[in-house]
Amino acid sequence: MSETTYPDIKLFIGNAWMASQGGETYPIINPGTGDIIGKAAKANRHDLELAVANAVAGFAVWRDVSPYERSRILRRAADTLRQRRERIARLISLEMGKPLPEAAAEVNVAADTIEWFAEEGRRTYGRIVPSRSPTTEQMVVKSPVGPVAVFTPWNFPLNQAARKIAAALAAGCSVVAKPAEEAPGSVAELAAALMEAGLPSGVLNMVLGVPSDISEFLIAHPQIRKISFTGSTIVGKKLAAMAGAHMKRATMELGGHAPVLVFGDADPVAAATAMARAKFRNAGQVCISPTRFIVHRSIYEPFVDAFVGVAGSLTVGDSLAPGVDMGPLANARRLVAMEDLVRDAVEKGADLKIGGRRRGNVGYFFEPTVLADAPTNARAMNEEPFGPLALIRPFDSAGDAVAEANRLPYGLAAFAYTRSNDVVSLLRTRVEAGMLSINDNLLALPETPFGGVKDSGYGSEGGSEAMEAYLSTRLVKVTSEFEASF
Ligand code: NAD
């Protein structure tokens, strides 16, 4: 495959690649150029029906495959992804614009994630509850919930899918996956790796097309027993309502607006440098991206200066070119959103320190942007920017900082920098976030829970909690017939 070729993406149903039964396709666009680089099959109702039928047949086989054998298949697929890292990274970079080294790192993380769930699936222990009679046994057993539907976004197209698919497969569920329509290439590679590793037919199926048509069909389908969605809060609420109407279990990993509290005892330059690098990773298109920087007034200026220094040092450009720190935004929607949010914040009094504009007029590039003294009524201080936009504000008391951190309905990630144990204790109990990281910014490890509170959703995408989401806990009570003889 040459540097810029992109394969036509087909539906994957019953371990076979197929065109849509209606023959329809849609274009895949390179966000660095705006050019069409390939096409993907657009599923219709018959395709979706076929995918569910295959998932039902696949589940009947897969639930009886031992966790040990499931684990071997998953680990083989993880090895294959690592072997194909360069090729898969290139697909990710082409379809959604992250720099090639970040895309390669994503492939590694996806392989690690699959391996972790491969191991965790071997430990889906039940338990025995002591009974009130010597002739009765009470067993708590964990069973796979059944065929599940998973919906994943474009920002980490492979790893978001790997987290859901690996947890579901390790638990013994079958899957109908709907990757982001913009970036399906790496998920197709994952499906191929799993098939080559020995995954039985129908256990994983991949469909593409109009997201709302697919989610409405799958969530309502009586054979689908659980859904998992990663994406915006607004879409998540719609899907959660549908899941409720059809009594489907749901995991919702939704938007965030991560606050970063930098206290007066922290090193402002070290904190700003680490956080600016985290902010502009993947062009800020990360649900846990640090966004509202709430900085103690005593270190506000050096923090802002250091942050702006990092923003100004980043190389923005073609995601496949060496030495690039930030590629284009993933689609034209994000570009329009960034322009609107910056204009609104400046109109309301924010101090634009750097960036704030589209770069060039080809592709969807936007400059790393820093807005100081951002007023709380600016839209960007309330809506998830999901782009390379940092908003900084000073604070005077710890109480004010915590109040600002908790002001929004979001509650996904939060960060803080401090050396004080008292402050750590305050934050641990008072900050309303599913994940709080103090003096560090690494949150998405396969072995730790990953999820939000409030409007950021419910359920976990990491740790043993993520496996539980694909398991039903059931009681089996057995009483011996021979009670009299004992
Ligand atoms: P969007 O809401 O249009 O789409 C986000 C994702 O949801 C896409 O992958 C899309 O395929 C899917 N989607 C949309 N409508 C759906 C439906 N009815 N049924 C099933 N899936 C559906 O937003 P966008 O413009 O693509 O992305 C920007 C917003 O999305 C951001 O503001 C952010 O909140 C959110 N987002 C979040 C994450 C995350 O990791 N939590 C990832 C990507 C996008």
Side-chain angles (χ1 to χ4, degrees):
M1 193 167 67
S2 88
E3 272 243 312
T4 49
T5 41
Y6 187 93
D8 284 350
I9 308 290
K10 300 241 165 32
L11 308 176
F12 181 72
I13 300 175
N15 272 5
W17 299 100
M18 53 182 76
S20 159
Q21 292 179 47
E24 278 191 273
T25 61
Y26 68 90
I28 303 288
I29 291 168
N30 175 348
T33 60
D35 293 341
I36 294 175
I37 50 171
K39 60 182 195 292
K42 187 170 170 188
N44 65 20
R45 214 186 154 78
H46 302 295
D47 300 311
L48 298 177
E49 199 63 79
L50 188 64
V52 174
N54 273 273
V56 170
F59 178 62
V61 173
W62 189 239
R63 68 177 166 200
D64 292 334
V65 173
S66 73
Y68 181 78
E69 180 56 19
R70 287 181 208 146
S71 174
R72 279 161 47 103
I73 292 172
L74 284 166
R75 280 184 284 123
R76 275 201 292 264
D79 285 342
T80 305
L81 290 185
R82 286 198 188 93
Q83 283 155 17
R84 298 179 185 164
R85 179 177 50 231
E86 303 312 318
R87 181 171 99 198
I88 300 172
R90 187 159 275 122
L91 291 180
I92 294 174
S93 193
L94 275 173
E95 65 194 6
M96 60 70 62
K98 72 176 58 170
L100 201 50
E102 278 186 36
E106 181 177 344
V107 180
N108 284 340
V109 171
D112 289 353
T113 300
I114 293 166
E115 256 170 12
W116 192 83
F117 282 111
E119 291 305 318
E120 193 66 6
R122 295 163 62 173
R123 290 187 277 274
T124 50
Y125 307 130
R127 66 186 201 278
I128 303 287
V129 177
S131 84
R132 297 179 179 206
S133 153
T135 56
T136 296
E137 259 191 335
Q138 302 179 136
M139 291 167 280
V140 179
V141 296
K142 302 279 176 85
S143 313
V145 297
V148 302
V150 306
F151 306 92
T152 55
W154 42 261
N155 59 341
F156 292 90
L158 178 60
N159 196 42
Q160 302 268 26
R163 289 206 278 215
K164 295 181 197 295
I165 291 170
L169 297 185
C173 297
S174 60
V175 179
V176 180
K178 205 269 315 154
E181 49 285 3
E182 295 99 333
S186 59
V187 188
E189 289 281 345
L190 172 59
L194 282 161
M195 178 170 65
E196 290 169 34
L199 195 73
S201 171
V203 179
L204 173 64
N205 308 276
M206 180 184 90
V207 294
L208 294 160
V210 179
S212 54
D213 292 353
I214 297 177
S215 57
E216 276 164 33
F217 180 91
L218 292 177
I219 295 172
H221 200 293
Q223 300 281 15
I224 296 292
R225 298 293 157 78
K226 175 197 160 64
I227 65 158
S228 180
F229 171 74
T230 298
S232 61
T233 293
I234 188 160
V235 174
K237 284 184 175 177
K238 275 189 214 154
L239 302 196
M242 264 194 271
H246 294 281
M247 198 49 73
K248 301 290 165 73
R249 286 171 64 167
T251 299
M252 290 283 149
E253 202 270 88
L254 308 178
H257 203 295
V260 183
L261 311 187
V262 187
F263 287 83
D265 60 351
D267 176 339
V269 175
T273 306
M275 275 290 134
R277 295 211 168 277
K279 170 75 252 177
F280 298 115
R281 184 169 71 98
N282 205 16
Q285 301 165 121
V286 183
C287 53
I288 58 169
S289 184
T291 293
R292 271 172 301 148
F293 298 87
I294 308 158
V295 182
H296 193 262
R297 202 176 293 278
S298 63
I299 56 166
Y300 187 70
E301 276 185 27
F303 182 91
V304 172
D305 289 348
F307 206 106
V308 171
V310 174
S313 72
L314 299 176
T315 304
V316 180
D318 176 0
S319 60
L320 294 180
V324 163
D325 299 304
M326 209 177 93
L329 303 182
N331 52 53
R333 297 191 296 281
R334 298 300 338 128
L335 196 56
V336 173
M338 286 307 105
E339 286 171 336
D340 287 352
L341 291 176
V342 172
R343 192 180 316 111
D344 170 80
V346 171
E347 273 168 20
K348 288 180 176 145
D351 178 6
L352 177 63
K353 292 284 188 189
I354 191 167
R357 280 183 318 217
R358 180 178 184 181
R359 183 167 292 188
N361 54 10
V362 173
Y364 313 132
F365 295 92
F366 197 79
E367 295 175 338
T369 298
V370 180
L371 290 161
D373 307 335
T376 53
N377 66 345
R379 277 180 50 210
M381 285 291 284
N382 298 278
E383 298 168 23
E384 183 178 31
F386 223 65
L389 190 52
L391 302 136
I392 315 183
R393 271 182 75 76
F395 74 84
D396 293 302
S397 75
D400 288 350
V402 171
E404 171 57 26
N406 293 342
R407 181 177 58 86
L408 298 187
Y410 294 113
L412 192 59
F415 303 89
Y417 283 83
T418 181
R419 295 188 174 108
S420 157
N421 286 335
D422 287 349
V423 172
V424 170
S425 297
L426 174 79
L427 301 181
R428 197 163 48 76
T429 53
R430 291 289 178 271
V431 172
E432 296 166 355
M435 296 167 280
L436 170 63
S437 179
I438 299 177
N439 299 327
D440 177 51
N441 59 37
L442 194 60
L443 277 174
L445 297 170
E447 62 270 29
T448 53
F450 187 99
V453 297
K454 295 164 59 180
D455 272 7
S456 293
Y458 40 73
S460 181
E461 293 270 274
S464 49
E465 289 81 359
M467 287 288 303
E468 286 297 323
Y470 294 95
L471 294 165
S472 296
T473 301
R474 296 163 48 239
L475 169 70
V476 177
K477 194 173 171 198
V478 181
T479 298
S480 157
E481 284 182 29
F482 309 112
E483 191 169 354
S485 61
F486 291 99

